[in-house]
Amino acid sequence: MTYPPNAPAASAAQGTATAPARPGSGVPAQSGAAGQAGPGPAAAPPPPDGPGAWAEARAVLRRAATTEPGRLRILGAVLALLVVAFGAVTAYEVLDRASYADDVVGRSQPLSADAADIYRSLADADATAASGFLAGPQESDQLRKRYTDDIATASRLLVKAAASTDADGGSGREIATLNEHLPRYTGLVERARAANRQGLPLGGAYLRYANLTMTQQLLPAAERLYAAETERLAQDDDEARTWPFLSIGLGLLALAVLGWAQRRSYLRTNRVFNRGLLGATTACAVALLWLVAGHGLARAGLDDARAHGQESLQVLNEARIGSLKARANENLAVVGRGAVLTEDGKNDKYEADYTSSAKTLTAALEEAGRLADDGAGRDPVAEATSRTEEWRTRHAQARQLDDAGDFTAAMNKVIGRTGSTGESFDRVDAALGRALSHEQDEFTLAAEGGRDALTGLPLGAAVLGVLAAGCAVTGVNRRLSEYR
C-alpha cells in the first residue's frame, strides 16, 4: 500500500493532539501544545464608575433617614454641633468685646489722657518761660522749677506714648515731630534767658522764635496726637459696646431646635421630658441669659463712662488748653509790646490770640458745668469759672496800664504774686486740675465696672456649650437604646 508523503506527519500530529484524561482524576484532557504552555490569565475588567464620596454620603444619609434610629443619630449630631458652635462663637465674640473694653480702660483712655498732659505741659512750659523772661534776673526758683518740671513731664510722657503706639502710624509720626522740635525749643529758651540776663534786646527775639516753634510745631503736633488717641478711644469704646448678634442668634436657634426635638420626642413616645434634652436646653438658656445680661451690664458701664467721664474729660481738656494758650499769649503781649501784629496790621497779634483763647475757655467751662453730674464735679468748674472772670478783669487793668505807658505796673499786674493775672491763671489751672481728676476717677470706675461684667463669660459659655452637647447626645442615646 502506498501512503502520501505527509501521512506520517499527520498521523503523528493526531497522536499527540489529544491526551485522554485519566479516569477519576478530575483533570480534563489537554492538548499537547496548549497543555504545555496554557493560555495566559485574563485581564481583570475595569471597575465600573461608581458615585463620588459626597454622593455616597448622601445616599447613606437618605438610607439612615428612612429609619427612626438613623433619624435620631442625625438629630443628635445636629444638636451637638449646634450647641458647641453656640458656645464657641459666644466665647470668641465675648473675648473680642472684653479685649476692646480692656483697651478702653488700660490703653486708649490713658494714652488720650497722656496726650492731653503732653499738650498741657508744653503749653504751661511756654507760658512759664515767658513769665520768667518778664521777671528777668528776679526770676524765682519756683518759676524755674515749674518750667523744668513741665519739660521733664512732656519728655517722660512722650517716651511712654512711643512705647504704646505704632511708629509708622499717625500717632507715631506726631511723637517723632515732638521729639525733634522739643530740644530746639528748649535751646531757644535758654538763649533768650542768657541774653536777657545780659540786658541784650536779642533775648526777646529768641523768646519769640521759641514761641513760634511751640505754637507752629510742638502744640499742633501735640493737639493732633491728642485727637488721634481720643479717636482711637472712641473706636475701642464702640467696638466694646457692639452687641454680639451672631452669638445671640445661634443661642436662639439652638433653643428653638432643642424645643422642637423635645416636642418630637413627646409626640412619638408620649413622655413629657427627656432629661438629656432638658439639660441641654437649660445649659443653652443659662448661657444665652448670661450673655445678654453680661453684655448689657458692660454696655451700661461703658455708656456711663462715656457720658459722665469721657465727654467731661474732653471738654475740661479743651478748657485747660484754652487757659494755657491765653496765659502764654498774655505774657508774650507784654514781652512784644506791639511788635507783632495781626495779618491786617491793625492789632497786637498776641492780644488777639489771648481774646480768642479766653472765649474758648469760657465756652468750655459752660459745657463742663452742664456735664458735671455731682457736687464734686460742679464745684471746681464753678470755681474755675469765677476765677476766669477775675482773670479777665485783671487782664483789662494790665492792658490799661500798658497802654498808658506804665510798663512796670503792667508787668507786675501780669506776673506779680498777688492781685495779678498770673495768680488768677494759677487758680483756674488748679480748679481745672481738680475737675479733671474727679472726672478721670469717675470714668475709670464706670469703665472698669463695664469691663468686669464680662469676666468669666467666655469660659462659662464654652463650658456650657460642651455640657449642652453632652446632654443632647445623652438624651438622644437614651431613645436609641430603646431600639436595641
Side-chain angles (χ1 to χ4, degrees), residues 350-389:
Y350 297 122
E351 181 63 22
D353 289 344
Y354 162 83
T355 302
S356 175
S357 299
K359 289 180 180 179
T360 300
L361 169 61
T362 301
L365 286 174
E366 290 178 357
E367 181 67 12
R370 185 185 66 81
L371 292 173
D373 59 342
D374 57 8
R378 286 190 293 267
D379 291 345
V381 173
E383 182 179 354
T385 302
S386 173
R387 296 301 180 182
T388 298
E389 294 301 321

Side-chain angles (χ1 to χ4, degrees), residues 229-291:
E229 296 303 328
T230 301
E231 181 181 359
R232 183 162 69 168
L233 169 61
Q235 291 175 353
D236 288 343
D237 183 69
D238 289 339
E239 292 291 341
R241 295 166 64 253
T242 302
W243 278 102
F245 291 111
L246 181 58
S247 299
I248 295 174
L250 280 174
L252 292 174
L253 178 61
L255 288 176
V257 175
L258 284 166
W260 172 83
Q262 291 179 84
R263 183 175 183 275
R264 179 181 184 276
S265 177
Y266 168 73
L267 293 176
R268 290 177 179 269
T269 65
N270 207 29
R271 296 190 181 98
V272 178
F273 295 116
N274 180 302
R275 293 180 180 177
L277 295 180
L278 185 61
T281 303
T282 303
C284 286
V286 169
L288 184 60
L289 289 175
W290 191 359
L291 170 64

Side-chain angles (χ1 to χ4, degrees), residues 101-114 233 237 297-298 300-313 435-453:
D102 190 61
D103 285 343
V104 168
V105 176
R107 189 192 66 174
S108 303
Q109 204 284 324
L111 281 175
S112 177
D114 286 346
L233 169 61
D237 183 69
L297 289 174
L302 292 172
D303 286 342
D304 187 56
R306 171 181 284 186
H308 302 298
Q310 183 177 338
E311 293 180 0
S312 294
L313 285 170
L436 281 165
S437 178
H438 171 73
E439 297 299 337
Q440 180 67 53
D441 291 341
E442 281 205 333
F443 174 89
T444 302
L445 183 63
E448 285 181 348
R451 179 194 62 184
D452 294 343

